[in-house]
């Protein structure tokens, strides 16, 4: 299933994209796509519906973040071999964890606001993992059963804040609008192998990133198991699993984002995003 949220910011309604690409309203079935409705039982009930019996949305609405009321936004750093190579970093022996502020979350096509004075804002297309049931010290073999689905994430990063201002990476990762998610939450039955997905990102029509989740140093199952050792993962939590090579930071000179530029990105089977960069005044 392709589940989504649509409507004005803060007033999103739940929806489903059927096999023909028609948006169907789910408001009569669930109040929203949130931790309370991402349980296996609720998803099974939604799978049993006949999409043609649901109301069609005939206008082209704004798409909101594909999950609401996210509790934790956990990210993995340097998790693609070619990305570690381009930054000159050694491959990590264990996953690098950091947190992204949930206030960074926006819809997949909302404007990205570059912070005042920012000169080193960067893009990062990533596979997002959405937790569907409690994961606490789970085994790698059992980890995938705790996932509700997957989505596209743009893990935007202000590199000066991240790398030159001391402390952890979080201050360069959590800026408002630096976490577009969606357009859809694609349930696990439609993603048989999360390590078999292509990723890409363009800036102003120029291909900057082309990658494959098979290049991950740590697989999705390893990541979920590992993170669950240090914190319980709750339904609705998102893990962003790292980015492939092709970020501005790895180029000479780095073509960091500027107001007016457009990012277009996607993952096989998970949909596409498009954001215009604006100055946050």
């Amino acid at each position: 299933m392709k589940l989504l949220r649509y409507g004005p910011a803060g007033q999103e309604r739940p929806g489903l994209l059927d096999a023909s690409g028609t948006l169907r309203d789910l408001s009569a079935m669930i109040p929203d796509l949130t931790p309370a409705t991402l349980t296996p039982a609720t998803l099974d009930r939604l799978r049993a519906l006949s999409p043609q019996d649901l109301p069609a949305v005939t206008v082209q609405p704004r798409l909101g973040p594909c999950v609401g009321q996210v509790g934790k936004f956990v990210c993995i750093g340097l998790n693609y071999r070619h990305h570690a190579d381009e930054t000159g970093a050694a491959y990590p022996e264990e996953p690098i964890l950091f947190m992204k502020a949930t206030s960074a979350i926006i819809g997949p096509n909302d404007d990205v606001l570059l912070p005042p004075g920012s000169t080193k804002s960067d893009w990062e297309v990533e596979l997002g993992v959405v937790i569907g049931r409690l994961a606490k010290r789970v085994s790698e073999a059992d980890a995938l059963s705790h996932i509700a689905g997957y989505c596209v994430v743009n893990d935007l990063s202000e590199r000066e804040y991240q790398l030159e201002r001391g402390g952890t990476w979080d201050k360069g990762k959590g800026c408002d609008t630096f976490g577009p998610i969606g357009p859809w939450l694609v349930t696990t039955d439609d993603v048989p192998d999360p390590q078999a997905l292509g990723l890409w990102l363009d800036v102003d029509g120029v291909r900057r990133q082309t990658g494959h989740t098979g290049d991950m140093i740590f697989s999705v199952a390893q990541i979920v198991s590992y993170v669950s050792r240090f914190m319980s993962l709750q339904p609705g939590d998102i893990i962003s699993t790292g980015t492939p090579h092709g970020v501005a930071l790895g180029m000479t000179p780095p073509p960091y984002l500027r107001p007016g530029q457009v990012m277009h990105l996607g993952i096989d089977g998970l949909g596409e995003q498009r954001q215009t960069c604006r100055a946050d005044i």
Side-chain angles (χ1 to χ4, degrees):
M1 289 186 298
K2 293 181 174 70
L3 302 174
L4 54 90
R5 300 169 70 246
Y6 70 96
Q11 303 175 44
E12 291 91 349
R13 299 163 64 95
L16 177 151
L17 196 73
D18 70 17
S20 71
T22 300
L23 173 55
R24 304 281 179 170
D25 183 71
L26 283 174
S27 297
M29 305 298 157
I30 54 174
D32 200 353
L33 284 169
T34 64
T37 56
L38 288 176
T39 63
T42 299
L43 294 181
D44 285 344
R45 180 163 60 88
L46 296 180
R47 286 188 190 95
L49 298 173
S50 296
Q52 62 268 25
D53 295 334
L54 299 169
V57 178
T58 56
V59 298
Q60 185 70 30
R62 167 192 174 267
L63 296 181
C66 59
V67 182
Q69 300 177 21
V70 174
K72 291 193 287 295
F73 199 166
V74 185
C75 299
I76 309 298
L78 294 175
N79 193 37
Y80 282 72
R81 294 172 180 85
H82 290 161
H83 175 51
D85 293 342
E86 74 176 341
T87 62
Y91 296 172
E93 296 183 5
E94 296 188 30
I96 297 171
L97 304 186
F98 62 92
M99 307 294 284
K100 201 171 183 79
T102 56
S103 53
I105 293 173
I106 57 171
N109 303 315
D110 291 344
D111 288 349
V112 163
L113 301 179
L114 304 180
S118 168
T119 59
K120 296 183 179 181
S121 290
D122 205 347
W123 56 81
E124 294 189 20
V125 60
E126 305 200 5
L127 173 66
V129 173
V130 182
I131 299 299
R133 65 186 182 97
L134 175 68
K136 186 174 183 178
R137 294 189 288 274
V138 300
S139 68
E140 185 180 330
D142 189 44
L144 296 185
S145 71
H146 293 262
I147 297 172
Y150 302 93
C151 66
V152 182
V153 175
N154 190 354
D155 174 25
L156 286 130
S157 311
E158 212 301 337
R159 300 300 190 187
E160 179 190 356
Y161 300 177
Q162 176 190 358
L163 302 172
E164 302 174 31
R165 301 286 291 272
T168 65
W169 290 3
D170 300 58
K171 67 182 72 172
K173 295 284 190 172
C175 304
D176 291 351
T177 76
F178 270 29
I181 63 171
W184 318 312
L185 187 161
V186 181
T187 53
T188 54
D189 50 309
D190 282 345
V191 187
D193 184 359
Q195 307 307 142
L197 303 174
L199 310 82
W200 55 270
L201 181 144
D202 297 344
V203 179
D204 289 345
V206 176
R207 181 59 47 93
R208 293 300 192 183
Q209 289 187 277
T210 302
H212 192 276
T213 56
D215 188 46
M216 285 184 181
I217 297 170
F218 304 102
S219 70
V220 169
Q222 289 173 312
I223 289 167
V224 172
S225 175
Y226 183 84
V227 175
S228 77
R229 301 179 201 171
F230 301 97
M231 64 192 81
S232 62
L233 293 169
Q234 311 286 337
D237 287 352
I238 296 173
I239 304 176
S240 200
T241 56
T243 197
H245 67 286
V247 298
L249 177 66
M251 301 178 189
T252 305
Y256 290 121
L257 292 166
R258 303 183 307 277
Q261 290 192 296
V262 176
M263 292 172 286
H264 183 202
L265 57 148
I267 300 177
D268 293 347
L270 304 187
E272 300 180 8
Q273 301 182 356
R274 185 184 298 270
Q275 299 108 25
T276 298
C277 296
R278 308 289 186 200
D280 189 0
I281 301 173

